[in-house]
Amino acid sequence: MMTNPHGPAYGLLESTDLTVSSRRRFLQGTGLLMGFVWLGRRKAFAAGEEPSLKVIGGGGEDTGNAFEGFAPGGFIRIGRDGSITFVIPSTEMGQGIYTGEAMLLAEELEVGLDQVRIMPAPPNEELYRQPILKSQATGGSTSIRGAWVPMRQAGAAARTMLIGAAAAEWAVPSEECRAERAVITHIPSGRTLTYAALADASIRQPVPQDVPLKDPKDFKLIGKNTRRVDTPSKVDGSAQYGIDVKVEGMKIAAISICPVPDGKLVAVDDSQARKIKGVVDVIKIHNAVAVTGDHFWAARQGLAALKIEWDYGAKASLSSDSIWADLKQASETGKPVMGRSEGDADAKMASAAKRVDAVYELPLLAHATMEPINTTVHVRPDACEIWLGTQAPTAVQQVAAQVSGLPPEKVIVHNHLIGGGFGRRLVADSVQQAVEFAKQVSYPIKIIWTREQDLQHDLFRPAYYDRISAGLGADGFPVAWTDRTTGGSVLGSYLPTGLPEGVLDSDAIEGAAQPPYALPSIRVDWIRKDPPIKVNWWRGVGPTHNVFVVESFMDELAHAVGKDPLEYRRVLLKDNPRALGVLNLAAEKAGWGSPLPERTGRGISLHDSFGSYLATVVETSVTPAGQIKLKRIVAAVDCGFNILPDTIKAQIEGGMIFGLSAAMYNGITFKDGQVEQSNFHDYRQMRINEVPPFEVHIIPSTEGPGGIGESGTVSAAPALGNAIFAATGKRLRRLPFSREELQAPDIAKQTLGMVPPVALGVAIAASLGDAETGGSSGHQSQPAEV
Amino acid sequence: MQMIDMTVNGELLHLDVPDDMPLLWALRDVAGLTGTKFGCGIAQCGACTVHVDGKPVRSCVMPVGAVGNRPVTTVEGVSETPVGKKVQEAWLDLEVVQCGYCQSGQIMSAAALLGRNPDPDDAAIDAAMAGNVCRCGTYPRIRAAIKQAATA
Ligand code: FES
Ligand code: FES
């Protein structure tokens, strides 16, 4: 029943080692190897030795006070065999968090990253609750901010206990002992003891009441680039994502889901499907049907042979037109919920020398993680076992418990590496579906969604219709600023209990409510208009939406009064040195103001989100046919203390490219109740040939670390939109940016861009067995250019 | 019952699969080689790229029956080739990888490129790699790593 038939591929323990039952086995002292477990639970320690959360979680630095309730235990396990295991609470989905959080523990524990194994935390709110999100989840660029103090404290506390045990063994003062690379040395005598040898004795040490943390100047790991712990297995193919799971007796399922939201399955004729070799079962739930088979191909063939009748239900006529019309109407007539109001914006607006108004529109967005949604489930009478990659393990556990009827502690969740999260895997919709199917059969099933299903049955980032206005004084700078955003509530969709009407969803105004600029009066509010479909978090959440509006509009204001957009921002940032710092650095490195060819321009965007400041300059040309050709990207970031600088850069690069794909190409549309896009041919992504030279400059800082996984995404659309304006004089206020609107007037109109012709030649060549994909077929992949 | 014989990473496999089954699923679900990934199923993303006779193929659209006696190399075996090893080392050196899901395909496309063009310029890299989507946006590093592997 182990997940990996090829042996341990990743240096990770199987997460079954941490299931409730095995932990209990350990506590009873039978069998498991771990001699020292920092569980942070009474039962893990003898009476009176329970680690106090106050001791470990009460640190005074930065976010330290936020840690009440975040059990710092459970992170470190040192075995008598010398194994050192870090149980990492955050999910690794490419952002490098296994390495970042391991560095925090290792720094204070005095071990090398080469000496530890990483395992993903099992669902356990008591031990692994994220202090900022207040639940065991990975998202919102919160991981490193939440972990910065308590994970170092956990390492320091464990080291203190290990040193205490060694000192007791030698009957010497602790101060004479030093820890390094999992060995404690008694300095005067040169005697040594390994952590392994101390594994048993250290558990009897008193839990330290005070764990001072290292002075950053003494850091050996933090702040220095190191090889990421997850990379080797991802380079040699041995990494195990959820989709790679293999469980004894497992069958693989292909499914068909009612194409219209909330539609129902009426009937299935499976007579032909069951004749196909390799097909095992056909199973039904209220809105979907699954064919299980020996392999995915058999299941797919079986599925194709089904005759399925759906009842599309009430949403059969749902269309994007109606979603937009609803938003627009709500924006004009709906009742706003106040987000922030300061300085009587209405009065100042009325008396302003000049007024500027704009409407911005942002589409529904899919996540399109590279790894399509998949879930492996085995429902047995006594337990429900699940293998998947999730950003929210306890949500998975709860949903599976509800559907299976088992108590949550009987739901075992094996969390895996994730092939892209971006918010998609915060939701357990696929788990609900998978358990509904799996409880009808005795064997484990792995359900794999196709790319088409992954896109069409995604839970989308909401669409927004935003009206923004500024009143400018005689000097051209804002005296009044109002920003009214209209859209669905992600929080309302996400919370099991929903969000009552009239209550602010702070996500809806995040990035709008606190612009980095000095604005004498500001009013930011939100009109809630939930679409008739579920909505979800998406990379960059509120700021990705709102900063596009704010930063595009700031550019509009500068141009409205004939000022340079960089200079205009600088004036408004006099009292914000960190924001000004990144702005100036990005502008300088990008050569702001130096001459550019015709129909080429630079755009800048600035924001302060997730505790980090990021300024980005995009340089682009726009061909007369309206093709956007990126020339250069320069980013400057101040994200506080740099823990792993190379990963900060990688996140800015990747986040930005993710945001550029959306800005250039992406929008989900509905027609007749169904999503119109289906795969990467019509939900286009940036490809390597479209990505220009990219520089990231990091400002060193001693401030507490900020989040960095989403900042780049936030910057992308406004920087590009502003660059397009600089290149063409066209202000695009609707995403994705329309090529048609960018065509020079003398060019015959043509449709460009959303569909990459890229792989057509490759597909044909490959299906014919002619494997050549280089050279000419690659060139055919370029979008048509004029 | 018809069996398909196929040499994968130097090993002869007898697979009980139909002729028209895409190579991708034969590798993943039957041979147990899960390094090759499913991303789109329609030759649009490159996640499933393997080598057939040294050339890159989108295994999601290539029927096993079309492989014939040509040798198949997957990411699990590509380190056995000098070029593949260099590519993997450059990938590690430059920390190309984020979520990693696309990277088997990227590495296979890059190794095939360097196999036929030991010193590719940017245009050659674009041409060979534009069929491989990376949602994490690792493209700048992919380009740099290919150049590093070329000089290694
Ligand atoms: S899965 Fe084959 S190209 Fe996408
Ligand atoms: S590394 Fe995540 S898709 Fe490429």
Side-chain angles (χ1 to χ4, degrees), chain A residues 769-771, chain B residues 4-13 15 23 27 33 49-57 59 62-75 77-78 80-81 108 112:
Chain A
D770 170 3
Chain B
I4 298 258
D5 285 353
M6 204 163 52
T7 306
V8 181
N9 299 332
E11 200 181 323
L12 183 64
L13 305 179
L15 304 176
L23 176 58
L27 291 170
L33 293 165
T49 306
V50 300
H51 296 176
V52 174
D53 212 7
K55 293 178 178 171
V57 166
S59 65
M62 183 179 219
V64 279
V67 175
N69 52 16
R70 294 178 292 171
V72 176
T73 306
T74 70
V75 68
V78 79
E80 298 297 317
T81 69
M108 297 309 285

mmCIF file of all heavy atoms in Angstrom, chain A residues 769-771, chain B residues 4-13 15 23 27 33 49-57 59 62-75 77-78 80-81 108 112:
data_model
loop_
_atom_site.group_PDB
_atom_site.id
_atom_site.type_symbol
_atom_site.label_atom_id
_atom_site.label_comp_id
_atom_site.label_asym_id
_atom_site.label_seq_id
_atom_site.Cartn_x
_atom_site.Cartn_y
_atom_site.Cartn_z
ATOM 1 N N GLY A 769 4.729 9.491 -36.067
ATOM 2 C CA GLY A 769 5.939 8.797 -35.694
ATOM 3 C C GLY A 769 7.177 9.507 -36.189
ATOM 4 O O GLY A 769 8.288 9.019 -36.040
ATOM 5 N N ASP A 770 7.004 10.680 -36.758
ATOM 6 C CA ASP A 770 8.168 11.458 -37.140
ATOM 7 C C ASP A 770 8.453 12.396 -35.981
ATOM 8 O O ASP A 770 7.730 13.329 -35.708
ATOM 9 C CB ASP A 770 7.876 12.261 -38.414
ATOM 10 C CG ASP A 770 8.984 13.256 -38.703
ATOM 11 O OD1 ASP A 770 9.983 13.272 -37.948
ATOM 12 O OD2 ASP A 770 8.848 14.017 -39.671
ATOM 13 N N ALA A 771 9.512 12.096 -35.294
ATOM 14 C CA ALA A 771 9.689 12.697 -33.986
ATOM 15 C C ALA A 771 10.269 14.095 -34.010
ATOM 16 O O ALA A 771 10.339 14.750 -32.998
ATOM 17 C CB ALA A 771 10.588 11.798 -33.145
ATOM 18 N N ILE B 4 3.092 -5.912 -26.868
ATOM 19 C CA ILE B 4 3.972 -4.957 -27.533
ATOM 20 C C ILE B 4 5.349 -5.064 -26.892
ATOM 21 O O ILE B 4 5.470 -5.009 -25.667
ATOM 22 C CB ILE B 4 3.438 -3.523 -27.376
ATOM 23 C CG1 ILE B 4 2.068 -3.388 -28.036
ATOM 24 C CG2 ILE B 4 4.459 -2.505 -27.877
ATOM 25 C CD1 ILE B 4 2.033 -2.727 -29.367
ATOM 26 N N ASP B 5 6.350 -5.260 -27.723
ATOM 27 C CA ASP B 5 7.727 -5.263 -27.229
ATOM 28 C C ASP B 5 8.335 -3.893 -27.474
ATOM 29 O O ASP B 5 8.202 -3.336 -28.563
ATOM 30 C CB ASP B 5 8.572 -6.316 -27.970
ATOM 31 C CG ASP B 5 8.230 -7.715 -27.499
ATOM 32 O OD1 ASP B 5 7.449 -7.839 -26.529
ATOM 33 O OD2 ASP B 5 8.739 -8.676 -28.107
ATOM 34 N N MET B 6 8.994 -3.392 -26.481
ATOM 35 C CA MET B 6 9.518 -2.040 -26.603
ATOM 36 C C MET B 6 10.760 -1.925 -25.726
ATOM 37 O O MET B 6 10.768 -2.409 -24.603
ATOM 38 C CB MET B 6 8.446 -1.067 -26.109
ATOM 39 C CG MET B 6 8.549 0.304 -26.648
ATOM 40 S SD MET B 6 6.998 1.230 -26.403
ATOM 41 C CE MET B 6 6.674 1.023 -24.705
ATOM 42 N N THR B 7 11.789 -1.271 -26.281
ATOM 43 C CA THR B 7 12.988 -1.047 -25.473
ATOM 44 C C THR B 7 12.906 0.343 -24.850
ATOM 45 O O THR B 7 12.861 1.347 -25.559
ATOM 46 C CB THR B 7 14.252 -1.151 -26.339
ATOM 47 O OG1 THR B 7 14.215 -2.406 -27.014
ATOM 48 C CG2 THR B 7 15.500 -1.071 -25.475
ATOM 49 N N VAL B 8 12.850 0.365 -23.541
ATOM 50 C CA VAL B 8 12.739 1.636 -22.825
ATOM 51 C C VAL B 8 13.920 1.758 -21.879
ATOM 52 O O VAL B 8 14.142 0.885 -21.037
ATOM 53 C CB VAL B 8 11.420 1.728 -22.030
ATOM 54 C CG1 VAL B 8 11.331 3.073 -21.313
ATOM 55 C CG2 VAL B 8 10.225 1.527 -22.945
ATOM 56 N N ASN B 9 14.674 2.813 -22.044
ATOM 57 C CA ASN B 9 15.862 3.051 -21.215
ATOM 58 C C ASN B 9 16.769 1.812 -21.194
ATOM 59 O O ASN B 9 17.301 1.427 -20.150
ATOM 60 C CB ASN B 9 15.460 3.451 -19.792
ATOM 61 C CG ASN B 9 14.642 4.728 -19.776
ATOM 62 O OD1 ASN B 9 14.782 5.577 -20.661
ATOM 63 N ND2 ASN B 9 13.761 4.867 -18.805
ATOM 64 N N GLY B 10 16.895 1.206 -22.356
ATOM 65 C CA GLY B 10 17.807 0.074 -22.498
ATOM 66 C C GLY B 10 17.241 -1.258 -22.049
ATOM 67 O O GLY B 10 17.905 -2.289 -22.143
ATOM 68 N N GLU B 11 16.003 -1.265 -21.587
ATOM 69 C CA GLU B 11 15.427 -2.507 -21.085
ATOM 70 C C GLU B 11 14.291 -2.939 -22.005
ATOM 71 O O GLU B 11 13.448 -2.112 -22.382
ATOM 72 C CB GLU B 11 14.877 -2.242 -19.678
ATOM 73 C CG GLU B 11 14.689 -3.483 -18.847
ATOM 74 C CD GLU B 11 14.108 -3.114 -17.467
ATOM 75 O OE1 GLU B 11 14.512 -2.050 -16.931
ATOM 76 O OE2 GLU B 11 13.248 -3.847 -16.984
ATOM 77 N N LEU B 12 14.257 -4.221 -22.355
ATOM 78 C CA LEU B 12 13.194 -4.702 -23.224
ATOM 79 C C LEU B 12 11.947 -4.999 -22.387
ATOM 80 O O LEU B 12 11.995 -5.776 -21.445
ATOM 81 C CB LEU B 12 13.644 -5.967 -23.968
ATOM 82 C CG LEU B 12 12.618 -6.520 -24.963
ATOM 83 C CD1 LEU B 12 12.362 -5.524 -26.102
ATOM 84 C CD2 LEU B 12 13.082 -7.866 -25.517
ATOM 85 N N LEU B 13 10.852 -4.332 -22.734
ATOM 86 C CA LEU B 13 9.606 -4.529 -21.997
ATOM 87 C C LEU B 13 8.594 -5.251 -22.878
ATOM 88 O O LEU B 13 8.519 -5.007 -24.075
ATOM 89 C CB LEU B 13 9.015 -3.181 -21.568
ATOM 90 C CG LEU B 13 9.905 -2.239 -20.759
ATOM 91 C CD1 LEU B 13 9.167 -0.934 -20.450
ATOM 92 C CD2 LEU B 13 10.372 -2.901 -19.461
ATOM 93 N N LEU B 15 4.702 -5.440 -23.102
ATOM 94 C CA LEU B 15 3.553 -4.766 -22.515
ATOM 95 C C LEU B 15 2.263 -5.287 -23.133
ATOM 96 O O LEU B 15 2.130 -5.362 -24.360
ATOM 97 C CB LEU B 15 3.659 -3.252 -22.742
ATOM 98 C CG LEU B 15 4.934 -2.578 -22.218
ATOM 99 C CD1 LEU B 15 4.947 -1.103 -22.585
ATOM 100 C CD2 LEU B 15 5.077 -2.766 -20.713
ATOM 101 N N LEU B 23 1.752 6.147 -26.151
ATOM 102 C CA LEU B 23 2.968 5.741 -25.462
ATOM 103 C C LEU B 23 2.991 6.268 -24.018
ATOM 104 O O LEU B 23 3.449 5.581 -23.097
ATOM 105 C CB LEU B 23 4.170 6.277 -26.264
ATOM 106 C CG LEU B 23 5.568 6.065 -25.707
ATOM 107 C CD1 LEU B 23 5.861 4.592 -25.497
ATOM 108 C CD2 LEU B 23 6.602 6.691 -26.665
ATOM 109 N N LEU B 27 3.788 3.966 -20.774
ATOM 110 C CA LEU B 27 4.928 4.214 -19.891
ATOM 111 C C LEU B 27 4.466 4.407 -18.451
ATOM 112 O O LEU B 27 5.001 3.799 -17.519
ATOM 113 C CB LEU B 27 5.692 5.464 -20.351
ATOM 114 C CG LEU B 27 6.456 5.341 -21.671
ATOM 115 C CD1 LEU B 27 6.948 6.719 -22.122
ATOM 116 C CD2 LEU B 27 7.633 4.374 -21.519
ATOM 117 N N LEU B 33 6.653 3.918 -15.280
ATOM 118 C CA LEU B 33 7.623 5.010 -15.393
ATOM 119 C C LEU B 33 6.863 6.340 -15.361
ATOM 120 O O LEU B 33 6.407 6.846 -16.390
ATOM 121 C CB LEU B 33 8.428 4.870 -16.685
ATOM 122 C CG LEU B 33 9.353 3.661 -16.725
ATOM 123 C CD1 LEU B 33 9.838 3.390 -18.142
ATOM 124 C CD2 LEU B 33 10.539 3.864 -15.783
ATOM 125 N N THR B 49 7.107 14.694 -23.185
ATOM 126 C CA THR B 49 8.159 14.466 -24.175
ATOM 127 C C THR B 49 9.110 13.341 -23.763
ATOM 128 O O THR B 49 9.615 13.321 -22.644
ATOM 129 C CB THR B 49 8.955 15.772 -24.392
ATOM 130 O OG1 THR B 49 8.041 16.817 -24.720
ATOM 131 C CG2 THR B 49 9.983 15.604 -25.507
ATOM 132 N N VAL B 50 9.321 12.424 -24.680
ATOM 133 C CA VAL B 50 10.336 11.372 -24.511
ATOM 134 C C VAL B 50 11.158 11.338 -25.799
ATOM 135 O O VAL B 50 10.851 12.049 -26.761
ATOM 136 C CB VAL B 50 9.692 9.982 -24.262
ATOM 137 C CG1 VAL B 50 8.830 10.018 -23.005
ATOM 138 C CG2 VAL B 50 8.863 9.526 -25.468
ATOM 139 N N HIS B 51 12.183 10.548 -25.801
ATOM 140 C CA HIS B 51 12.941 10.362 -27.043
ATOM 141 C C HIS B 51 12.591 9.019 -27.656
ATOM 142 O O HIS B 51 12.552 8.007 -26.957
ATOM 143 C CB HIS B 51 14.450 10.376 -26.777
ATOM 144 C CG HIS B 51 14.959 11.684 -26.257
ATOM 145 N ND1 HIS B 51 16.270 11.869 -25.889
ATOM 146 C CD2 HIS B 51 14.337 12.870 -26.034
ATOM 147 C CE1 HIS B 51 16.437 13.124 -25.466
ATOM 148 N NE2 HIS B 51 15.275 13.745 -25.539
ATOM 149 N N VAL B 52 12.332 9.044 -28.942
ATOM 150 C CA VAL B 52 12.222 7.798 -29.693
ATOM 151 C C VAL B 52 13.342 7.847 -30.721
ATOM 152 O O VAL B 52 13.381 8.775 -31.546
ATOM 153 C CB VAL B 52 10.837 7.669 -30.363
ATOM 154 C CG1 VAL B 52 10.814 6.436 -31.267
ATOM 155 C CG2 VAL B 52 9.741 7.564 -29.306
ATOM 156 N N ASP B 53 14.243 6.925 -30.578
ATOM 157 C CA ASP B 53 15.428 6.935 -31.437
ATOM 158 C C ASP B 53 16.159 8.287 -31.336
ATOM 159 O O ASP B 53 16.641 8.832 -32.330
ATOM 160 C CB ASP B 53 15.014 6.667 -32.891
ATOM 161 C CG ASP B 53 16.115 5.911 -33.644
ATOM 162 O OD1 ASP B 53 17.095 5.499 -32.986
ATOM 163 O OD2 ASP B 53 15.978 5.748 -34.862
ATOM 164 N N GLY B 54 16.193 8.840 -30.171
ATOM 165 C CA GLY B 54 16.945 10.070 -29.930
ATOM 166 C C GLY B 54 16.202 11.347 -30.262
ATOM 167 O O GLY B 54 16.680 12.437 -29.978
ATOM 168 N N LYS B 55 15.038 11.202 -30.892
ATOM 169 C CA LYS B 55 14.300 12.407 -31.279
ATOM 170 C C LYS B 55 13.143 12.661 -30.310
ATOM 171 O O LYS B 55 12.507 11.720 -29.848
ATOM 172 C CB LYS B 55 13.754 12.250 -32.692
ATOM 173 C CG LYS B 55 14.842 12.207 -33.738
ATOM 174 C CD LYS B 55 14.249 12.008 -35.106
ATOM 175 C CE LYS B 55 15.345 12.015 -36.163
ATOM 176 N NZ LYS B 55 14.811 11.617 -37.474
ATOM 177 N N PRO B 56 12.839 13.944 -30.055
ATOM 178 C CA PRO B 56 11.770 14.236 -29.088
ATOM 179 C C PRO B 56 10.395 13.951 -29.672
ATOM 180 O O PRO B 56 10.105 14.321 -30.809
ATOM 181 C CB PRO B 56 11.946 15.729 -28.816
ATOM 182 C CG PRO B 56 12.574 16.277 -30.052
ATOM 183 C CD PRO B 56 13.445 15.179 -30.601
ATOM 184 N N VAL B 57 9.579 13.314 -28.882
ATOM 185 C CA VAL B 57 8.235 12.935 -29.305
ATOM 186 C C VAL B 57 7.268 13.304 -28.201
ATOM 187 O O VAL B 57 7.591 13.186 -27.023
ATOM 188 C CB VAL B 57 8.186 11.399 -29.530
ATOM 189 C CG1 VAL B 57 6.760 10.907 -29.630
ATOM 190 C CG2 VAL B 57 8.950 11.014 -30.765
ATOM 191 N N SER B 59 4.652 11.973 -26.308
ATOM 192 C CA SER B 59 4.186 10.604 -26.136
ATOM 193 C C SER B 59 2.678 10.519 -25.938
ATOM 194 O O SER B 59 2.099 9.450 -26.068
ATOM 195 C CB SER B 59 4.907 9.943 -24.960
ATOM 196 O OG SER B 59 4.586 10.581 -23.739
ATOM 197 N N MET B 62 1.480 9.714 -29.499
ATOM 198 C CA MET B 62 2.136 8.674 -30.290
ATOM 199 C C MET B 62 1.654 7.298 -29.831
ATOM 200 O O MET B 62 1.883 6.900 -28.690
ATOM 201 C CB MET B 62 3.642 8.748 -30.128
ATOM 202 C CG MET B 62 4.338 7.713 -30.995
ATOM 203 S SD MET B 62 6.111 7.829 -30.826
ATOM 204 C CE MET B 62 6.599 7.543 -32.506
ATOM 205 N N PRO B 63 0.978 6.579 -30.722
ATOM 206 C CA PRO B 63 0.515 5.249 -30.323
ATOM 207 C C PRO B 63 1.704 4.313 -30.081
ATOM 208 O O PRO B 63 2.706 4.403 -30.791
ATOM 209 C CB PRO B 63 -0.289 4.769 -31.534
ATOM 210 C CG PRO B 63 -0.410 5.942 -32.452
ATOM 211 C CD PRO B 63 0.663 6.910 -32.109
ATOM 212 N N VAL B 64 1.580 3.442 -29.124
ATOM 213 C CA VAL B 64 2.685 2.500 -28.884
ATOM 214 C C VAL B 64 2.997 1.696 -30.129
ATOM 215 O O VAL B 64 4.155 1.360 -30.385
ATOM 216 C CB VAL B 64 2.417 1.505 -27.734
ATOM 217 C CG1 VAL B 64 2.692 2.110 -26.405
ATOM 218 C CG2 VAL B 64 1.018 0.952 -27.778
ATOM 219 N N GLY B 65 1.963 1.436 -30.910
ATOM 220 C CA GLY B 65 2.175 0.636 -32.116
ATOM 221 C C GLY B 65 3.098 1.296 -33.123
ATOM 222 O O GLY B 65 3.660 0.630 -34.004
ATOM 223 N N ALA B 66 3.269 2.612 -33.010
ATOM 224 C CA ALA B 66 4.116 3.327 -33.968
ATOM 225 C C ALA B 66 5.577 3.362 -33.547
ATOM 226 O O ALA B 66 6.425 3.818 -34.302
ATOM 227 C CB ALA B 66 3.593 4.763 -34.144
ATOM 228 N N VAL B 67 5.858 2.879 -32.358
ATOM 229 C CA VAL B 67 7.244 2.957 -31.867
ATOM 230 C C VAL B 67 8.132 1.957 -32.606
ATOM 231 O O VAL B 67 9.270 2.262 -32.958
ATOM 232 C CB VAL B 67 7.306 2.709 -30.340
ATOM 233 C CG1 VAL B 67 8.754 2.676 -29.853
ATOM 234 C CG2 VAL B 67 6.512 3.777 -29.605
ATOM 235 N N GLY B 68 7.553 0.780 -32.861
ATOM 236 C CA GLY B 68 8.325 -0.249 -33.548
ATOM 237 C C GLY B 68 9.522 -0.669 -32.716
ATOM 238 O O GLY B 68 9.447 -0.752 -31.497
ATOM 239 N N ASN B 69 10.624 -0.901 -33.390
ATOM 240 C CA ASN B 69 11.793 -1.335 -32.619
ATOM 241 C C ASN B 69 12.750 -0.200 -32.299
ATOM 242 O O ASN B 69 13.895 -0.414 -31.937
ATOM 243 C CB ASN B 69 12.516 -2.473 -33.342
ATOM 244 C CG ASN B 69 12.818 -2.098 -34.784
ATOM 245 O OD1 ASN B 69 12.758 -0.907 -35.130
ATOM 246 N ND2 ASN B 69 13.138 -3.084 -35.612
ATOM 247 N N ARG B 70 12.246 1.027 -32.432
ATOM 248 C CA ARG B 70 13.108 2.159 -32.087
ATOM 249 C C ARG B 70 13.210 2.290 -30.568
ATOM 250 O O ARG B 70 12.205 2.175 -29.870
ATOM 251 C CB ARG B 70 12.536 3.448 -32.691
ATOM 252 C CG ARG B 70 12.574 3.455 -34.209
ATOM 253 C CD ARG B 70 11.963 4.718 -34.783
ATOM 254 N NE ARG B 70 10.522 4.788 -34.564
ATOM 255 C CZ ARG B 70 9.779 5.867 -34.820
ATOM 256 N NH1 ARG B 70 10.343 6.966 -35.278
ATOM 257 N NH2 ARG B 70 8.486 5.861 -34.608
ATOM 258 N N PRO B 71 14.391 2.565 -30.060
ATOM 259 C CA PRO B 71 14.534 2.661 -28.601
ATOM 260 C C PRO B 71 13.881 3.918 -28.041
ATOM 261 O O PRO B 71 13.931 4.988 -28.648
ATOM 262 C CB PRO B 71 16.052 2.708 -28.394
ATOM 263 C CG PRO B 71 16.605 3.214 -29.685
ATOM 264 C CD PRO B 71 15.673 2.732 -30.772
ATOM 265 N N VAL B 72 13.269 3.754 -26.880
ATOM 266 C CA VAL B 72 12.619 4.868 -26.190
ATOM 267 C C VAL B 72 13.474 5.255 -24.984
ATOM 268 O O VAL B 72 13.945 4.395 -24.245
ATOM 269 C CB VAL B 72 11.203 4.455 -25.712
ATOM 270 C CG1 VAL B 72 10.558 5.577 -24.894
ATOM 271 C CG2 VAL B 72 10.333 4.064 -26.899
ATOM 272 N N THR B 73 13.674 6.552 -24.817
ATOM 273 C CA THR B 73 14.358 7.042 -23.617
ATOM 274 C C THR B 73 13.425 7.999 -22.898
ATOM 275 O O THR B 73 12.824 8.886 -23.518
ATOM 276 C CB THR B 73 15.656 7.783 -23.983
ATOM 277 O OG1 THR B 73 16.452 6.921 -24.790
ATOM 278 C CG2 THR B 73 16.446 8.160 -22.726
ATOM 279 N N THR B 74 13.305 7.807 -21.591
ATOM 280 C CA THR B 74 12.497 8.718 -20.782
ATOM 281 C C THR B 74 13.416 9.468 -19.833
ATOM 282 O O THR B 74 14.616 9.198 -19.761
ATOM 283 C CB THR B 74 11.445 7.951 -19.951
ATOM 284 O OG1 THR B 74 12.136 7.222 -18.922
ATOM 285 C CG2 THR B 74 10.642 6.989 -20.812
ATOM 286 N N VAL B 75 12.825 10.374 -19.075
ATOM 287 C CA VAL B 75 13.639 11.175 -18.146
ATOM 288 C C VAL B 75 14.379 10.271 -17.152
ATOM 289 O O VAL B 75 15.485 10.598 -16.722
ATOM 290 C CB VAL B 75 12.765 12.217 -17.421
ATOM 291 C CG1 VAL B 75 11.785 11.549 -16.466
ATOM 292 C CG2 VAL B 75 13.609 13.255 -16.704
ATOM 293 N N GLY B 77 15.861 7.649 -17.802
ATOM 294 C CA GLY B 77 17.045 7.049 -18.407
ATOM 295 C C GLY B 77 17.965 8.042 -19.094
ATOM 296 O O GLY B 77 19.038 7.675 -19.581
ATOM 297 N N VAL B 78 17.565 9.288 -19.131
ATOM 298 C CA VAL B 78 18.315 10.227 -19.982
ATOM 299 C C VAL B 78 19.693 10.562 -19.414
ATOM 300 O O VAL B 78 20.594 10.979 -20.142
ATOM 301 C CB VAL B 78 17.480 11.511 -20.249
ATOM 302 C CG1 VAL B 78 17.518 12.457 -19.056
ATOM 303 C CG2 VAL B 78 17.946 12.208 -21.514
ATOM 304 N N GLU B 80 21.817 8.538 -18.727
ATOM 305 C CA GLU B 80 22.771 7.590 -19.323
ATOM 306 C C GLU B 80 23.413 8.159 -20.582
ATOM 307 O O GLU B 80 24.411 7.624 -21.062
ATOM 308 C CB GLU B 80 22.061 6.270 -19.668
ATOM 309 C CG GLU B 80 21.479 5.551 -18.463
ATOM 310 C CD GLU B 80 22.547 5.127 -17.457
ATOM 311 O OE1 GLU B 80 23.603 4.631 -17.896
ATOM 312 O OE2 GLU B 80 22.327 5.337 -16.246
ATOM 313 N N THR B 81 22.812 9.197 -21.140
ATOM 314 C CA THR B 81 23.435 9.811 -22.312
ATOM 315 C C THR B 81 24.266 11.002 -21.849
ATOM 316 O O THR B 81 23.866 11.706 -20.915
ATOM 317 C CB THR B 81 22.369 10.309 -23.313
ATOM 318 O OG1 THR B 81 21.681 11.427 -22.719
ATOM 319 C CG2 THR B 81 21.363 9.233 -23.634
ATOM 320 N N MET B 108 13.895 16.663 -21.581
ATOM 321 C CA MET B 108 13.968 15.794 -22.760
ATOM 322 C C MET B 108 14.048 16.624 -24.040
ATOM 323 O O MET B 108 14.806 16.283 -24.963
ATOM 324 C CB MET B 108 12.762 14.843 -22.796
ATOM 325 C CG MET B 108 12.683 13.875 -21.615
ATOM 326 S SD MET B 108 14.191 12.948 -21.300
ATOM 327 C CE MET B 108 14.141 11.736 -22.634
ATOM 328 N N ALA B 112 17.405 16.665 -26.454
ATOM 329 C CA ALA B 112 17.305 16.368 -27.884
ATOM 330 C C ALA B 112 17.888 17.511 -28.705
ATOM 331 O O ALA B 112 18.597 17.288 -29.699
ATOM 332 C CB ALA B 112 15.845 16.128 -28.264
#
